[in-house]
Amino acid sequence: AVHCHTNAPSSSSQSPLQVHVREIPFSYGKLGGSIWYAAIALSQYLILRPSLVRNKNVLELGSGVGLPGLTAAKLSAKSVTLTEFGMEGDVDGIVLEKEGDKRLLPSALLSNLRYNAILNGCDDV
């Protein structure tokens, strides 16, 4: 799990909310390495209704690249916990697929989720 607390001021309706995420190739992140349309829709919904997450503890299950959870953090959620499964790996390193069931586990999804949290100013990663 990745815990995210930001010190960023909440977004005002005058300026656009910016959340940055890095997508990774399927071979590193499997289905969680790219942004899903549902994540975009949920993030847009939260932006339109920030009171749903403001000053609340948010848990995102199966975060992938973390777009909705990071959006909640930028909308002044009290705390955000992003969860995902897989092995520890590095996007820029050499990742070998293993025989059997291990080859189905994402090899760099967790490290990419941490990267995205840091990219968005989370100070408790």
Side-chain angles (χ1 to χ4, degrees):
V2 175
H3 303 282
C4 182
H5 301 279
T6 63
N7 292 322
S10 63
S11 177
S12 70
S13 60
Q14 303 299 321
S15 62
L17 181 75
Q18 293 185 7
V19 178
H20 303 277
V21 294
R22 174 179 70 178
E23 294 182 283
I24 56 177
F26 182 81
S27 60
Y28 292 112
K30 306 300 183 218
L31 295 174
S34 59
I35 298 175
W36 288 35
Y37 292 122
I40 295 169
L42 178 55
S43 296
Q44 289 174 334
Y45 186 82
L46 293 176
I47 290 168
L48 294 173
R49 293 164 184 81
S51 63
L52 291 173
V53 295
R54 186 175 297 123
N55 297 320
K56 295 182 180 158
N57 297 316
V58 175
L59 170 63
E60 184 182 357
L61 302 173
S63 300
V65 296
L67 182 62
L70 295 170
T71 300
K74 296 257 181 148
L75 292 171
S76 299
K78 182 177 180 182
S79 73
V80 176
T81 301
L82 307 167
T83 64
E84 196 47 85
F85 79 102
M87 301 180 298
E88 291 292 334
D90 188 357
V91 173
D92 299 320
I94 297 173
V95 178
L96 299 174
E97 293 289 332
K98 297 184 180 186
E99 294 295 324
D101 293 338
K102 294 286 187 192
R103 68 183 174 82
L104 300 175
L105 292 175
S107 58
L109 194 51
L110 293 172
S111 61
N112 191 59
L113 187 55
R114 276 191 206 91
Y115 177 90
N116 287 337
I118 292 167
L119 186 63
N120 286 281
C122 294
D123 57 13
D124 183 26
V125 178

